Amino acid sequence: QTLIQMVKVGIMPACVRDLAKYRDFPSLAGNRQSLYTYIAGEIAKLEKLVADAHAAGSDMHAEATYLCDTGKPQMLVVRNLVDQAEAMLESGLYPYPSYETLLYSHHH
């Protein structure tokens, strides 16, 4: 659920704001619209996988196995897409600290 919330509450709004910056110059937007749309579709798939796992019943072992075998690979798909978006977004729009900030902020 954490990844889903982070994408829906932080990443997608940042993507919308980023895409709006190219409204007057769509030729400069590159593949932003298709990437951001793809992220939305893949997060919807992940939401369905999580819902399906919870709907399967009270067998926690079966749910954990399903999420590990099916949910985790989908999480990696979403993460890869979000990493691509992070590289395109203006730093002020990205809602979370970058890896660089996390790793080196104590040096400043």
Side-chain angles (χ1 to χ4, degrees):
Q1 293 290 359
T2 303
L3 176 61
I4 293 168
Q5 281 301 109
M6 289 178 74
V7 171
K8 290 180 84 171
V9 174
I11 300 299
M12 293 310 303
C15 291
V16 169
R17 286 190 299 275
D18 179 61
L19 196 56
K21 291 179 156 207
Y22 293 90
R23 183 180 12 241
D24 294 332
F25 300 98
S27 62
L28 299 177
N31 70 333
R32 282 173 165 78
Q33 185 166 355
S34 62
L35 175 61
Y36 300 164
T37 300
Y38 196 30
I39 292 170
E42 294 302 314
I43 205 68
K45 287 180 188 176
L46 181 59
E47 283 183 294
K48 182 173 180 348
L49 291 174
V50 171
D52 289 350
H54 293 316
S58 61
D59 183 353
M60 290 177 61
H61 184 266
E63 183 178 337
T65 300
Y66 176 80
L67 288 173
C68 185
D69 294 346
T70 309
K72 187 176 177 182
Q74 183 61 24
M75 290 173 70
L76 293 174
V77 168
V78 171
R79 180 178 175 194
N80 181 350
L81 294 170
V82 169
D83 286 348
Q84 290 176 49
E86 179 183 4
M88 298 175 94
L89 288 169
E90 185 179 312
S91 63
L93 291 177
Y94 196 74
Y96 306 112
S98 68
Y99 293 121
E100 183 178 334
T101 300
L102 290 173
L103 292 173
Y104 301 113
S105 63
H106 65 281
H107 290 290
H108 297 280

